[in-house]
Amino acid sequence: MEIYGNTRKLSKIISSEKLIIKQYGKMVGAKLMQRISEFRATDSLSEISHLPPPRLHSLGGDRNGEFAVSLTGNERLVFKGLDINNEFTSNKSQVVKIYILEVVDYHGN
């Protein structure tokens, strides 16, 4: 899969191991690089496990249409999925591109 950031800055950060570690620290950065590698190794989002460690899950509420994968205890990589026509989709089997929104702890802790 192809991976994009929602800003130029984020796109630049996720393309460099050094910048990922600088921005997110060693622990979160290492997990972020692992998840990015997992995404790149698949053809669609349906190949990513909903079980730990990635724990892919759909979000609801004000984040409806977004997905998340676990990085650490509360840190998540939040993204939207794009199909082959570059349209946002929540159908995991149609997602062939990842549009990263943020790395965040949205649990309020």
Side-chain angles (χ1 to χ4, degrees):
M1 281 193 284
E2 296 176 42
I3 302 171
Y4 305 95
N6 70 335
T7 63
R8 281 188 198 162
K9 180 180 178 181
L10 184 56
S11 293
K12 184 176 180 180
I13 289 170
I14 63 173
S15 67
S16 166
E17 182 177 328
K18 182 179 177 180
L19 292 176
I20 288 173
I21 298 297
K22 182 178 179 182
Q23 180 71 28
Y24 299 109
K26 287 183 181 181
M27 187 165 55
V28 173
K31 290 295 183 179
L32 178 56
M33 289 184 289
Q34 182 179 354
R35 298 294 173 257
I36 289 172
S37 293
E38 291 168 356
F39 287 143
R40 287 190 175 133
T42 63
D43 293 322
S44 76
L45 195 57
S46 62
E47 297 176 36
I48 302 294
S49 177
H50 67 282
L51 301 172
R55 213 173 72 72
L56 172 66
H57 52 285
S58 300
L59 302 176
D62 61 343
R63 292 186 173 271
N64 194 31
E66 298 176 4
F67 296 96
V69 288
S70 297
L71 297 176
T72 62
N74 283 340
E75 294 287 329
R76 302 291 185 263
L77 172 61
V78 179
F79 61 94
K80 288 188 173 187
L82 296 159
D83 63 16
I84 59 173
N85 299 316
N86 289 325
E87 299 288 329
F88 289 115
T89 182
S90 57
N91 184 330
K92 293 177 187 177
S93 63
Q94 293 178 352
V95 173
V96 295
K97 297 177 185 174
I98 300 294
Y99 184 75
I100 296 176
L101 301 172
E102 62 184 335
V103 172
V104 65
D105 174 359
Y106 52 66
H107 298 96
N109 295 337

